[in-house]
Amino acid sequence: MTRTVETDDISFAYRGGELSALESFSLAVEPGEQVALLGPSGAGKTTFLTLLDGRLRGWTGRAAVLGKALDPARPPPRTARPDVGFIFQEFALVERSTVLRNVLNGRLGRMTSVAAILGRHAPRDLAIARQAMADCGIAELADRRVDTLSGGQRQRVAIARCLAQEPRLILADEPVSNLDPARASDVLNVITAAAARRGATTIFTSHQPDLAVRFASRMVGMSEGRIAFDQPVENALGDDIAALYHADAPHLRVVQ
Ligand code: ADP
Ligand code: MG
């Protein structure tokens, strides 16, 4: 079976950056895995997700997503890759539009260009959008304007929009970092359960190892653009995680 993600010996430095954001980085992800990328700020997590999303230029190495090689000189247009969904850290929603409209935007890459320009959604698009909203627990918010919602509700809209796209790979960059612990746990549960139900692969970044342990099947620790550890969650060691954050930080320890 084709791997969902296959990257080999990736290196990348931002222009003007002193250090490499990614350094001989190699990671393969199989279909259906739920991977948590952990690491301190600046470890390269966002850079790696941006690469997988096809938005990074000028890296070296080899990368393929869902069997298609990425070209570091020519990132594909977003709409050419509806199979890859991205949940942004800042929600990137259309504020003055309704929840339903925002979620339907997830269908754009699946529509003909004429239908997309005219905003003509087929009944099937509407059904998929409604299912995505139901899965995210926001069905009753369909007609509300996004700018009237709470942070947790907005994040659910962003997730529903991503699900409506019917991605086979979901990339989520700090999807719960702006939420309080109870909401963070709910929202990660929504993402991973919806992904599992659809057979989609998920890669999410997090600052919270305790959440990674609960919602991922595999934990990959990153530090200074490299892999520090890569383990199924049941084998992940509190010491590895604490070392990753360079800290004697008892609150980061994982309870086995
Ligand atoms: P993380 O998501 O793990 O916090 P990033 O991928 O954002 O890490 O950053 C990796 C490294 O690249 C850091 O040293 C960061 O300062 C640098 N970096 C990130 N984005 C940019 C940018 N747009 N321009 C220059 N340097 C950047
Ligand atoms: Mg980041």
Side-chain angles (χ1 to χ4, degrees), residues 14-17 19-21 39-48 173-174 207:
Y14 287 94
R15 200 176 298 202
L19 298 169
S20 297
S41 187
K45 306 180 297 294
T46 297
T47 303
F48 183 61
D173 195 11
E174 310 267 357
H207 279 309

Side-chain angles (χ1 to χ4, degrees), residues 2 87 108 123 141 145 156 165 186 199 209 211 227 231 243 247 251:
T2 313
I87 299 170
L108 292 176
L141 299 179
R145 258 172 60 154
R156 284 165 188 262
Q165 196 184 313
D186 283 351
L211 289 178
I227 295 199
Q231 298 271 19
H251 64 283

